[in-house]
Amino acid sequence: MFPELNNILNSTPDSFKSSDFILVSDRQADASFLIHHYLSFYLRAGCKVCFLGLVQSFSHYSAVGQRLGVSLAQAREKGQLVFLEGLKDSIGAILQEESSQGTQHLSYLRSPGAGLKGLFRFVESSVRQNGDHDDGESWGPPVLLIDDLSVLLSLGVTVGAILDFTLYCQATMCTELQGNMVILVRCEEEDADDDEEGANLLQRGLVHQCNLALHVEGLPTGYCRDIHGQMQVWWRQSGETMYNPRKTFHFKVHDKGASFFARGTSSAVL
Amino acid sequence: MLLDVLQGAEPGGFILIQDTVKCTGRGILKCFINAALKRGEDVHVLGFEASETEVCAGLDRSCVQKLHFHKGFPDPLGWMCRSSFTVDQLTSQHITKLIKDSQHAKAPVLVIDSLSLVLRHHDPVVISQRLQVLRKGGDIKTIISLLHSDLHLHGVVGIVSHLASTVISVAPANNEHHAVATTTRRSKSGKVMQEEEYFNVSEDMTLSVQAKLRQHGHVQKEQKVAEVSNAALILNDLRWRFLL
């Protein structure tokens, strides 16, 4: 969890906005550090977390989580964390002769054109499961984290099917259950003729749906040892107002966290 | 022109509001809903992307009973069997039945929020045909729809725009408290007028137009007047030279 990012977004594990859909995107950079931030943030907040880890193993997230002060293994044992290990479960889903109930949430691997209804059912059942703390109290509002949604495009799932899935997740998680969603998507190079199906179209579709967009890019001036990139924070209001404030910050990722600062105020510059 | 469209809403018209990620059009859409309710018109909203609470927020509470929200959201595709209206039901037969069941004295306004979700699941030519049938059928006064133009191929946006009698495209302005609306209006005679205006949507869904940026018809008229004046001056000058 990154305290400076909490300050920028005006939220803490004790006090955060609910019913939020947070979109994390990157272009020629790696925004996965933000997924690790939100994972530790919501676990510390006592929320029930459903994490779809589609591109890394559980041990990877667990190792990073340890550095940020949370134990994913303990959270999973207690029932606070439901983790879908996409890489590991995918092999079973592909090698089976026919789709079974146990792998229905990964049915898109065998039939990409069928959509992500099975995956949505998995998310819905995970967050609606009853489960209490050891001391008998129930968990906080549910949270859905996905890393990374754009990999589904490589598996043949269409942008439309993914946007349908996120719409349903948002309706259930945010509108009905007053929980939050954090989704990572990786963008391609910007292209003037950007009509075609691809990650950029997916990102635009998700920006239309989200409340807060965090976009990470490398510095336009190139590599810098002390500044690893820039992050644009775009607060998207409920839809009626014209004013959607945007701010850009520079950041540096450390071994156990990340620093955020206003442009031009890096300690290497001052 | 934007206020004329808002207040007029001519019968048989199809008003298309186009937005992008840079500037949302849902605010203007709600202004149109509010204006229709205040005129005493019944408004049927096919809500696929936003909840009823979100759509009704800010609308005039004294008229809300004339708003009929058909719950596509949160189940627009019928995955959970909880929807009262799915994207597959956007046909002239379903909508005509919906309206007749409501027993209105006058033809209501139909609002689609949004057409983008419908076009994700149906051929744009088929949807355009259905909208055209609804327009000409006489059971609906006006159709107003939101379209996220940056989520579709240019050709698809073109097909739907061609069907519309008025297209309102919104974009951000330099002033962060306003946006720019480009209104293109096609009259029944085929004449096309376009105007760009700054606008702002207040919390009670009142649309205010701040200033006109450029009015194509008006600019052409001014240019013509200037040309005549120059010609008159030259002619006058020649007369004087001749007389002298």
Side-chain angles (χ1 to χ4, degrees):
Chain A
M1 190 178 73
F2 311 144
E4 283 162 0
L5 181 59
N6 289 343
N7 287 339
I8 290 169
L9 301 178
N10 198 26
S11 63
T12 65
D14 298 321
S15 164
F16 58 89
K17 199 162 161 274
S18 62
S19 305
D20 252 4
F21 173 3
I22 300 167
L23 175 67
V24 176
S25 58
D26 61 29
R27 179 175 283 116
Q28 294 185 318
D30 185 1
S32 57
F33 67 97
L34 291 173
I35 288 290
H36 296 296
H37 159 76
Y38 278 111
L39 181 57
S40 66
F41 181 97
Y42 287 117
L43 286 176
R44 280 176 200 257
C47 295
K48 176 84 182 265
V49 177
C50 175
F51 186 9
L52 307 186
L54 304 178
V55 293
Q56 295 284 3
S57 63
F58 179 79
S59 53
H60 166 79
Y61 295 109
S62 186
V64 178
Q66 292 282 4
R67 286 190 222 158
L68 297 180
V70 290
S71 170
L72 299 198
Q74 265 184 24
R76 191 158 69 168
E77 266 173 53
K78 285 189 299 189
Q80 185 187 8
L81 173 67
V82 175
F83 184 82
L84 170 68
E85 193 160 355
L87 292 174
K88 188 171 150 191
D89 294 352
S90 297
I91 297 171
I94 292 170
L95 293 179
Q96 272 179 347
E97 284 192 358
E98 55 184 40
S99 171
S100 72
Q101 207 163 9
T103 57
Q104 204 132 28
H105 54 286
L106 298 173
S107 57
Y108 59 87
L109 291 171
R110 300 175 74 89
S111 324
L116 299 173
K117 192 173 168 182
L119 190 61
F120 166 69
R121 291 263 184 246
F122 172 84
V123 169
E124 194 193 11
S125 64
S126 301
V127 297
R128 288 193 198 277
Q129 265 173 15
N130 291 327
D132 296 335
H133 278 202
D134 290 337
D135 55 4
E137 288 182 19
S138 57
W139 299 112
V143 173
L144 171 65
L145 267 77
I146 306 180
D147 176 24
D148 105 52
L149 202 55
S150 45
V151 79
L152 297 178
L153 295 172
S154 314
L155 297 170
V157 183
T158 62
V159 170
I162 298 174
L163 291 176
D164 290 340
F165 166 73
T166 53
L167 182 74
Y168 268 82
C169 287
Q170 185 181 20
T172 302
M173 299 291 308
C174 303
T175 306
E176 185 187 340
L177 300 176
Q178 308 285 301
N180 289 5
M181 260 167 59
V182 182
I183 293 180
L184 171 66
V185 66
R186 299 199 188 281
C187 302
E188 294 154 345
E189 285 268 1
E190 279 197 50
D191 192 343
D193 188 23
D194 209 4
D195 261 358
E196 301 299 322
E197 282 251 340
N200 291 348
L201 179 61
L202 175 61
Q203 192 235 9
R204 290 198 297 274
L206 293 173
V207 171
H208 274 289
Q209 291 177 2
C210 75
N211 305 106
L212 175 67
L214 307 177
H215 183 68
V216 171
E217 281 187 327
L219 293 176
T221 46
Y223 170 79
C224 174
R225 188 186 61 186
D226 294 300
I227 303 171
H228 292 165
Q230 61 186 27
M231 180 183 74
Q232 187 182 73
V233 182
W234 191 2
W235 288 272
R236 294 182 60 78
Q237 305 299 331
S238 56
E240 293 82 13
T241 58
M242 298 295 107
Y243 183 49
N244 284 333
R246 275 201 245 200
K247 282 188 180 174
T248 303
F249 298 88
H250 285 163
F251 67 87
K252 180 176 181 178
V253 180
H254 308 287
D255 190 41
K256 292 187 180 182
S259 303
F260 295 84
F261 34 88
R263 284 187 289 186
T265 62
S266 161
S267 54
V269 173
L270 294 173
Chain B
M1 190 188 288
L2 185 57
L3 285 175
D4 289 341
V5 175
L6 181 80
Q7 287 152 9
E10 78 271 16
F14 173 29
I15 300 167
L16 183 68
I17 299 168
Q18 291 185 9
D19 71 359
T20 66
V21 290
K22 292 178 184 173
C23 185
T24 179
R26 192 161 277 118
I28 277 199
L29 183 74
K30 289 177 67 170
C31 287
F32 273 86
I33 295 173
N34 214 27
L37 290 173
K38 285 182 175 177
R39 286 195 298 267
E41 293 171 349
D42 285 281
V43 179
H44 285 259
V45 178
L46 308 181
F48 297 121
E49 283 187 8
S51 66
E52 184 174 2
T53 310
E54 194 182 328
V55 171
C56 292
L59 298 181
D60 189 341
R61 286 184 187 180
S62 62
C63 317
V64 164
Q65 71 276 8
K66 283 194 162 287
L67 178 74
H68 309 266
F69 189 89
H70 302 284
K71 286 184 182 176
F73 187 92
D75 188 15
L77 306 176
W79 285 4
M80 299 185 287
C81 303
R82 282 164 48 184
S83 172
S84 65
F85 198 92
T86 65
V87 294
D88 290 337
Q89 290 172 298
L90 185 57
T91 64
S92 52
Q93 295 94 330
H94 269 115
I95 292 178
T96 305
K97 184 179 182 306
L98 209 68
I99 288 161
K100 282 182 177 166
D101 286 349
S102 304
Q103 294 176 336
H104 301 302
K106 294 184 289 186
V109 172
L110 179 69
V111 174
I112 306 173
D113 178 17
S114 73
L115 209 48
S116 287
L117 184 60
V118 178
L119 291 172
R120 269 214 301 267
H121 293 276
H122 293 283
D123 188 290
V125 172
V126 170
I127 294 301
S128 298
Q129 285 171 343
R130 292 178 186 177
L131 289 174
Q132 187 71 345
V133 168
L134 282 169
R135 276 181 76 186
K136 302 294 181 191
D139 293 314
I140 291 171
K141 183 192 173 194
T142 310
I143 302 175
I144 307 170
S145 181
L146 179 64
L147 180 74
H148 307 307
S149 60
D150 54 352
L151 298 187
H152 304 280
L153 295 174
H154 288 148
V156 172
V157 176
I159 288 171
V160 183
S161 299
H162 189 73
L163 187 65
S165 54
T166 304
V167 177
I168 302 168
S169 302
V170 297
N174 291 334
N175 180 345
E176 58 200 13
H177 291 282
H178 294 88
V180 175
T182 304
T183 308
T184 307
R185 203 171 182 184
R186 189 186 302 119
S187 67
K188 286 181 182 172
S189 63
K191 186 177 173 185
V192 177
M193 289 289 292
Q194 191 178 73
E195 192 167 340
E196 283 185 0
E197 296 157 288
Y198 283 118
F199 73 94
N200 176 267
V201 174
S202 62
E203 281 185 12
D204 64 349
M205 298 304 124
T206 303
L207 183 71
S208 54
V209 174
Q210 302 301 314
K212 291 182 184 178
L213 288 176
R214 184 172 86 237
Q215 188 176 2
H216 290 283
H218 192 60
V219 167
Q220 282 176 2
K221 190 179 169 186
E222 279 179 342
Q223 283 176 346
K224 279 182 188 170
V225 168
E227 284 165 12
V228 166
S229 295
N230 286 337
L233 282 171
I234 293 167
L235 196 62
N236 207 37
D237 189 48
L238 286 172
R239 279 200 199 115
W240 279 108
R241 287 173 189 270
F242 182 71
L243 284 171
L244 290 171

